[in-house]
Amino acid sequence: MTKTLAELAALIGKIDFATLSTHSQGGTIAGRPMSNNGDVEYDGDSWYFACEDTRTVQDLRANPTCALSFHGKGGLLGMKPVFVHIEGEAELIKDKAQFAAHWAKDLDLWFKEGVDTPGLTLIKVHGIRAHYWDGEDQGEIVLEGATSQTRAPATF
């Protein structure tokens, strides 16, 4: 059974941190934890903040193809683990109105001047394909905007 986007959103809605993987120099793949900052009403797009001089932004500027990995922990009392992997394309945004729309107060810890922080960049990852496994079910969802060039055969 394939989950809907709404069901996938419910799975990742409780997971704040994702690993954002990018293509880096020399063909390597770099990954780093990124917080959704409470902006987790997933509709196919994910939002993250970074500074423009970071390797993350430099990697995405050179190649916007990226991936997000979410892991919701299982536990006692029958809680099943959740794994979601999203392939996507990143857009680097420098618009303060967009910053404000996705800003959370806790971000002030890392970005001392808020939306006015020099070099602040909003990373929008537009999902193309999502793979999931929730302990009972696994599947793939092809998201809006996928094309034959961005869609690879299922890998499970």
Side-chain angles (χ1 to χ4, degrees):
M1 180 174 133
T2 301
K3 294 194 181 306
T4 65
L5 181 58
E7 291 169 324
L8 182 66
L11 287 176
I12 66 175
K14 297 176 184 146
I15 304 171
D16 183 25
F17 282 90
T19 298
L20 171 62
S21 298
T22 60
H23 296 275
S24 200
Q25 294 177 344
T28 62
I29 296 175
R32 71 281 292 156
M34 302 291 282
S35 174
N36 287 315
N37 313 307
D39 196 0
V40 292
E41 292 182 25
Y42 190 71
D43 63 357
D45 295 328
S46 298
W47 306 87
Y48 306 97
F49 283 96
C51 288
E52 67 185 348
D53 62 351
T54 61
R55 180 175 175 179
T56 304
V57 172
Q58 293 169 15
D59 287 353
L60 292 171
R61 189 172 286 124
N63 183 347
T65 303
C66 60
L68 297 169
S69 295
F70 297 87
H71 174 221
K73 64 182 177 180
L76 300 175
L77 306 176
M79 291 175 50
K80 294 178 176 63
V82 173
F83 300 90
V84 179
H85 176 81
I86 298 172
E87 299 169 29
E89 295 286 325
E91 177 184 350
L92 302 174
I93 299 169
K94 302 294 288 179
D95 177 41
K96 283 188 183 181
Q98 287 289 322
F99 294 173
H102 296 282
W103 195 259
K105 183 74 174 140
D106 293 341
L107 289 167
D108 293 338
L109 180 65
W110 290 282
F111 306 103
K112 302 294 184 197
E113 296 178 47
V115 298
D116 295 316
T117 299
L120 188 64
T121 302
L122 180 60
I123 302 169
K124 175 185 177 183
V125 177
H126 181 71
I128 294 170
R129 182 169 74 160
H131 302 271
Y132 62 86
W133 180 77
D134 67 4
E136 291 179 351
D137 189 21
Q138 66 177 341
E140 174 181 285
I141 299 174
V142 177
L143 300 166
E144 182 181 329
T147 67
S148 59
Q149 290 78 31
T150 60
R151 213 184 303 174
T155 56
F156 51 91

